[in-house]
Amino acid sequence: MSTKVVEILSSEELRRTLTRMASQIIERTRDLSQLLLLGIHTRGVPLAYSLARQIEILEDVGVSVGSLDITFYRDDLDKIGLRTPEKTDIPFDLTGKTVVLVDDVIFKGRTIRAALNAVNEYGRPEVIRLAILVDRGHRELPIHPDFVGKKLPTAKEEIVKVYLQDSDGRDGVELISN
């Protein structure tokens, strides 16, 4: 059986999607000075930085960005295998802030559940929102993103692959099936 690859978002479409998501975050945030973006390792981190740059372009307001590793908060390490933890970098207090968790793809919801548990160790935000580039469905937990770049119904065995310039040398999103 051959592998089928379908382009879901081109580089230009990805750029436009991030601009739209940044605008939505701005619209839903009362006070941008209280906004913090937390990227979930791995691809959520560069996405968070891209959203912060876009917010700064649109509103001329700097947004703090941090990174969150959720490895030790996962409840499914036995299923996904061992991982080398990345460095969590949250150089600010989250208490009373509007925190937007940023990740590339949401599937079952377990990564986000782990991220919510991890955030509790860094303060008590006023509100936590979720920005996801691709929502592919199949949730096992009652978690729903606030900001979605692309809703993409998939079969469970299909793979959504996000490519980012910083880590992959190109931007885009592909759906891979066998």
Side-chain angles (χ1 to χ4, degrees):
M1 191 185 314
S2 66
T3 300
K4 181 179 175 187
V5 178
V6 177
E7 181 179 67
I8 302 302
L9 293 175
S10 67
S11 176
E12 182 62 23
E13 290 167 329
L14 179 58
R15 184 194 60 76
R16 276 192 241 121
T17 298
L18 290 173
T19 299
R20 179 177 44 79
M21 290 176 70
S23 294
Q24 292 172 343
I25 291 169
I26 291 166
E27 289 172 5
R28 292 267 317 266
T29 305
R30 276 182 300 192
D31 182 358
L32 290 176
S33 70
Q34 298 299 303
L35 176 63
L36 306 172
L37 301 180
L38 279 183
I40 300 171
H41 280 291
T42 297
R43 284 180 175 74
V45 176
L47 286 172
Y49 279 102
S50 294
L51 288 169
R53 278 191 301 273
Q54 193 59 42
I55 291 169
E56 186 169 357
I57 289 167
L58 294 170
E59 293 294 312
D60 198 29
V61 173
V63 177
S64 296
V65 179
S67 62
L68 186 64
D69 180 80
I70 51 91
T71 302
F72 297 119
Y73 297 90
R74 295 196 68 108
D75 66 355
D76 59 353
L77 283 175
D78 58 327
K79 291 183 177 115
I80 64 170
L82 291 177
R83 300 181 167 211
T84 302
E86 300 285 341
K87 183 179 184 324
T88 291
D89 181 24
I90 303 178
F92 34 74
D93 184 15
L94 303 181
T95 303
K97 305 292 186 186
T98 297
V99 172
V100 177
L101 292 173
V102 181
D103 205 6
D104 58 347
V105 179
I106 188 167
F107 184 32
K108 297 177 182 180
R110 297 200 174 277
T111 296
I112 304 309
R113 187 214 43 87
L116 291 168
N117 287 343
V119 163
N120 287 330
E121 297 206 8
Y122 295 93
R124 188 166 190 272
E126 180 177 315
V127 64
I128 301 173
R129 295 203 169 102
L130 178 57
I132 297 292
L133 183 60
V134 179
D135 181 350
R136 59 174 294 190
H138 303 287
R139 219 76 80 240
E140 292 177 355
L141 299 171
I143 292 173
H144 182 77
D146 300 279
F147 312 104
V148 177
K150 178 87 173 163
K151 287 190 178 195
L152 180 66
T154 64
K156 285 187 178 185
E157 63 277 359
E158 290 177 314
I159 297 169
V160 175
K161 180 72 175 147
V162 174
Y163 299 96
L164 299 173
Q165 187 66 42
D166 294 341
S167 52
D168 305 303
R170 67 181 177 110
D171 288 331
V173 177
E174 294 176 344
L175 178 64
I176 302 167
S177 56
N178 290 325

